[in-house]
Amino acid sequence: MGLSRYSDRAADILGDRSTEPSRPSGWTAPTATAHLDIRMSLPGSKSLTNRELVLAALADSPSLLQRPLRSRDTDLMADALRALGARIEEVPGDGQFGPDWLVTPGELLGSTTIEAGLAGTVMRFVPPVAALALGPVSIDGDEAARRRPMRTTVDSLRALGVDVADDGTGRLPFTIHGTGHVAGGEITIDASASSQFVSGLLLAAARFDSGLTLRHSGERLPSTPHIDMTIAALAARGVAVTQPEVGVWVVPAGAVSGRTVAIEPDLSNAAPFLAAALLAGGTVTIADWPTHTTQVGDLVPELLGRFGATVTRGEDGALTVDGGAGIRNEGTLPAVDLDLSEAGELAPTFVALAALADGPSSITGIGHLRGHETDRLAALVTDLTVLGARITELPDGLAIESVGGVAGLHGGTWQSFDDHRMATTGALLGLVVDGVEIDDIGTTAKTLPEFPELWSALAGSGPGTGSGATA
């Protein structure tokens, strides 16, 4: 399944249909015309939705996913699990962004082909499930997905006795020849490139004959909160993962329980919306911010505080960021030095803020972003340089020089590089820099198809009703 149906949706929102169905025409980011004063709801977490879909397909009884995210990544995951034998049906729910999902597990069968798109969770979570199926399962993805590191997945399955045919590439496409079961046992992997390699194995491990003892051998492990999220999701379904030492996880063999689970809003997707308050000034409120969560996006309020934002929590659970006057109105942002090794997916938003700071900044701990949807470090350097920023790559991050705030930047074409977080970062800068044109806003459909509509509502240049946003 390609990007076309999601790009078409973005084009519908924008009121401009491209002559090339898979790639909408450029989108000029709206600039803020006044202080922000907006309250928003956001769709569910992609990370939680896809973990719960996998566990529901492996469970011993049906599961109901309430307020799940509906996006390209989650639809790809649902389609992959359907191909392996799960029944996933839309049922009425109370969410603003679509129906709930009722998942009924079935016998896992192969002899199928799975399209991973550019979804890291699909390409790394589905192979261990496919190994439990009876018959061959071929997995492929977008052209950019074929450049993403997958050798750890291939090697780990082989270490578990699974036959994987990849022509020696360690990348997509490859075929898993499942026998209906995986022996399990103890294996060692290097997950330095992505914590998804660990989560993918943990999610399926309870269904292995002997469970799994998993050891990480690398010097570093990025985004460990995502592993915590996986462990918490397993615990809620009766699978108790233990960690006898750092970098070792033990999953006992046993049943995975069906359950009803309410998916939290995606807090990482909230990052550019909340950061907008620092640029345009005023306040942005996100409804239903969870009190306790394993989402890495829960670090957003703290990180915005480093840039001078004031953050408050309402009695109704909403979170509000007040950006004061905003840099658009001669406010300033302090320079920062951030280690985002635990929250690399948030880096593009905070690199954008640092590009407008009043002194030199550095953002490190993000070298692994070179292996994401695109090489995000190179992409950020390319796009920000086009707008006039001074930014250079470090071995493990980026160094950003001051250009004197908004006056030091100018408009230009912002390339998305098929990466949703690159597109949203361009929109953020376009809030205060005139003439930022994003070449493909449709890439935001990967995790937030409603982004163009929601962003226009935030900027004051689009409807504020019917989209989860009210001005």
Side-chain angles (χ1 to χ4, degrees):
M1 177 172 55
L3 272 168
S4 60
R5 78 185 230 192
Y6 297 96
S7 296
D8 286 349
R9 182 174 180 181
D12 284 339
I13 290 171
L14 299 173
D16 177 26
R17 300 300 296 270
S18 170
T19 57
E20 181 183 359
S22 63
R23 182 85 55 180
S25 59
W27 183 73
T28 301
T31 55
T33 57
H35 276 183
L36 305 179
D37 180 14
I38 192 166
R39 180 185 178 95
M40 313 179 67
S41 294
L42 291 177
S45 161
K46 181 264 291 184
S47 296
L48 285 170
T49 298
N50 275 358
R51 281 165 173 77
E52 293 294 350
L53 279 170
V54 171
L55 291 174
L58 294 171
D60 59 5
S61 60
S63 297
L64 179 64
L65 275 56
Q66 298 174 325
R67 298 184 290 282
L69 174 67
R70 296 303 305 271
S71 70
R72 189 185 187 220
D73 274 19
T74 59
D75 283 352
L76 285 166
M77 180 65 83
D79 287 345
L81 297 171
R82 288 186 182 108
L84 292 172
R87 188 166 76 247
I88 303 175
E89 306 167 279
E90 293 184 348
V91 296
D94 63 359
Q96 293 178 249
F97 298 95
D100 293 349
W101 262 330
L102 176 64
V103 184
T104 304
E107 182 180 3
L108 294 173
L109 297 174
S111 300
T112 190
T113 298
I114 286 171
E115 169 60 49
L118 195 49
T121 50
V122 177
M123 64 183 72
R124 291 162 183 160
F125 292 2
V126 170
V129 179
L132 290 163
L134 180 60
V137 178
S138 297
I139 304 177
D140 200 356
D142 295 352
E143 185 61 34
R146 295 182 175 186
R147 298 191 292 269
R148 297 189 72 175
M150 287 295 298
R151 184 168 297 281
T152 299
T153 292
V154 172
D155 290 349
S156 64
L157 291 178
R158 286 177 176 156
L160 290 166
V162 179
D163 180 6
V164 184
D166 69 336
D167 292 330
T169 66
R171 298 181 185 273
L172 295 175
F174 54 75
T175 299
I176 298 164
H177 295 275
T179 60
H181 74 96
V182 175
E186 182 171 336
I187 63 170
T188 299
I189 68 171
D190 183 352
S192 299
S194 175
S195 65
Q196 289 175 346
F197 294 123
V198 173
S199 286
L201 289 164
L202 296 183
L203 287 168
R207 291 286 303 271
F208 298 168
D209 297 347
S210 302
L212 179 68
T213 297
L214 179 63
R215 296 180 180 274
H216 166 60
S217 63
E219 294 182 1
R220 54 189 292 279
L221 183 61
S223 304
T224 54
H226 284 104
I227 299 176
D228 296 337
M229 175 187 289
T230 299
I231 292 171
L234 283 161
R237 291 178 177 270
V239 180
V241 180
T242 57
Q243 196 169 2
E245 59 185 273
V246 175
V248 179
W249 301 269
V250 179
V251 186
V256 178
S257 300
R259 68 183 293 240
T260 295
V261 53
I263 304 296
E264 299 169 359
D266 195 309
L267 307 187
S268 293
N269 278 341
F273 292 95
L274 293 174
L278 282 167
L279 300 191
T283 63
V284 177
T285 297
I286 303 294
D288 303 316
W289 196 277
T291 303
H292 303 287
T293 181
T294 54
Q295 289 192 66
V296 70
D298 198 37
L299 293 173
V300 169
E302 175 188 340
L303 293 169
L304 290 176
R306 297 280 298 274
F307 284 93
T310 300
V311 182
T312 57
R313 290 290 299 264
E315 293 183 359
D316 60 354
L319 183 138
T320 298
V321 169
D322 188 336
I327 196 169
R328 186 181 66 89
N329 301 294
E330 300 184 355
T332 59
L333 298 178
V336 299
D337 293 306
L338 300 179
D339 179 351
L340 292 183
S341 55
E342 296 289 290
E345 66 191 53
L346 304 178
T349 292
F350 292 99
V351 170
L353 293 182
L356 293 167
D358 60 5
S361 298
S362 67
I363 297 181
T364 56
I366 56 173
H368 61 285
L369 297 187
R370 293 184 172 98
H372 275 230
E373 284 82 346
T374 186
D375 179 340
R376 283 183 178 162
L377 302 193
L380 285 165
V381 170
T382 297
D383 279 341
L384 282 164
T385 299
V386 166
L387 300 192
R390 294 193 292 269
I391 179 171
T392 56
E393 286 193 48
L394 304 172
D396 195 32
L398 295 168
I400 306 103
E401 298 180 39
S402 174
V403 293
V406 173
L409 299 183
H410 53 74
T413 298
W414 182 276
Q415 299 179 69
S416 68
F417 296 99
D418 294 321
D419 187 329
H420 60 130
R421 299 208 190 278
M422 289 300 301
T424 62
T425 301
L428 177 62
L429 287 167
L431 201 64
V432 292
V433 178
D434 289 336
V436 176
E437 183 170 290
I438 299 163
D439 69 339
D440 185 6
I441 198 64
T443 60
T444 58
K446 176 180 170 67
T447 59
L448 185 53
E450 300 85 358
F451 179 82
E453 183 181 20
L454 291 169
W455 194 258
S456 293
L458 175 138
S461 58
T465 59
S467 61
T470 55

